[in-house]
Amino acid sequence: KKQKMVAAAKKRVGNVGKRKGATVRDVPANKWVRAMAAQFKREGKIMVPTCTDFLKTSHGRERAPQNHDWYYYRCASVLRHIYLRPGTGYGGMSKSFGNKKNKGSLPESTVRAATGPLHWACKSLEGLKLIAKGKGKGRVVTRTGRKTADSVAFNAKIHRRIAGTKKAKKN
């Protein structure tokens, strides 16, 4: 009688046979925005206006943002918005960043976001050469902006922490 040799099933190692890399569309929005904001803060190259401590983001808000890093998060979310919808301008972004205004006993109404912080965010991103003015209208993501956004997306997808994001241990 002949014995049959059964080959052991080979396990895949790493990313062999799988698509490598990730884009902004492959990662949940909150994870990507948090990772991109951390990178903006860590690099320290982004221009932050002096009035961000007391500035409201919309006239529908009651107070200024409580998070001191809110401007980095807004810049990251603006970059994501332009990445997903090229050619969008301040008006379209103010609609999507808008909120409901509480008018007491009256029914609440939808209001747009202030365009000033959106303008400053776009200027900061243009200073880093991540976005540029579109040919027809609005803003578009540049080649370096797309490369940066996709590399952050890949790191966020595989849960990689970039050096410098953890707080150093005290001895």
Side-chain angles (χ1 to χ4, degrees):
K1 290 183 178 180
K2 292 184 180 179
Q3 292 181 345
K4 289 187 177 180
M5 299 285 286
V6 179
K10 292 184 180 179
K11 288 189 176 182
R12 289 186 175 178
V13 180
N15 259 354
V16 177
K18 295 182 182 176
R19 186 174 66 97
K20 294 180 184 175
T23 63
V24 175
R25 294 179 191 275
D26 300 333
V27 183
N30 59 344
K31 283 178 69 174
W32 187 87
V33 168
R34 197 178 312 129
M36 193 75 214
Q39 180 168 334
F40 283 153
K41 187 174 182 183
R42 187 177 58 252
E43 286 176 352
K45 295 179 184 176
I46 205 160
M47 184 274 302
V48 180
T50 55
C51 60
T52 54
D53 295 335
F54 54 87
L55 180 75
K56 291 196 323 181
T57 56
S58 168
H59 70 88
R61 304 278 183 196
E62 291 185 8
R63 285 182 252 127
Q66 300 296 310
N67 187 351
H68 293 293
D69 299 332
W70 75 269
Y71 187 73
Y72 298 109
Y73 283 88
R74 180 54 60 100
C75 286
S77 59
V78 164
L79 179 62
R80 183 178 187 277
H81 194 286
I82 294 171
Y83 183 103
L84 296 176
R85 296 184 60 135
T88 187
Y90 298 141
M93 283 190 278
S94 72
K95 279 186 217 172
S96 61
F97 286 115
N99 64 322
K100 301 264 187 180
K101 183 172 185 173
N102 183 2
K103 300 196 292 184
S105 59
L106 295 174
E108 59 187 16
S109 61
T110 307
V111 294
R112 292 179 167 204
T115 54
L118 296 173
H119 172 76
W120 291 329
C122 287
K123 289 295 178 193
S124 298
L125 294 172
E126 284 175 7
L128 294 177
K129 307 247 186 301
L130 298 177
I131 64 172
K133 289 188 178 180
K135 290 181 180 176
K137 59 179 182 174
R139 301 284 194 273
V140 292
V141 180
T142 60
R143 181 175 289 182
T144 57
R146 192 167 296 279
K147 183 178 176 184
T148 304
D150 289 342
S151 67
V152 169
F154 178 70
N155 290 334
K157 186 175 183 181
I158 64 169
H159 307 293
R160 180 187 295 165
R161 286 196 172 269
I162 308 298
T165 56
K166 282 187 175 180
K167 292 183 179 178
K169 290 183 180 178
K170 294 180 181 178
N171 291 333

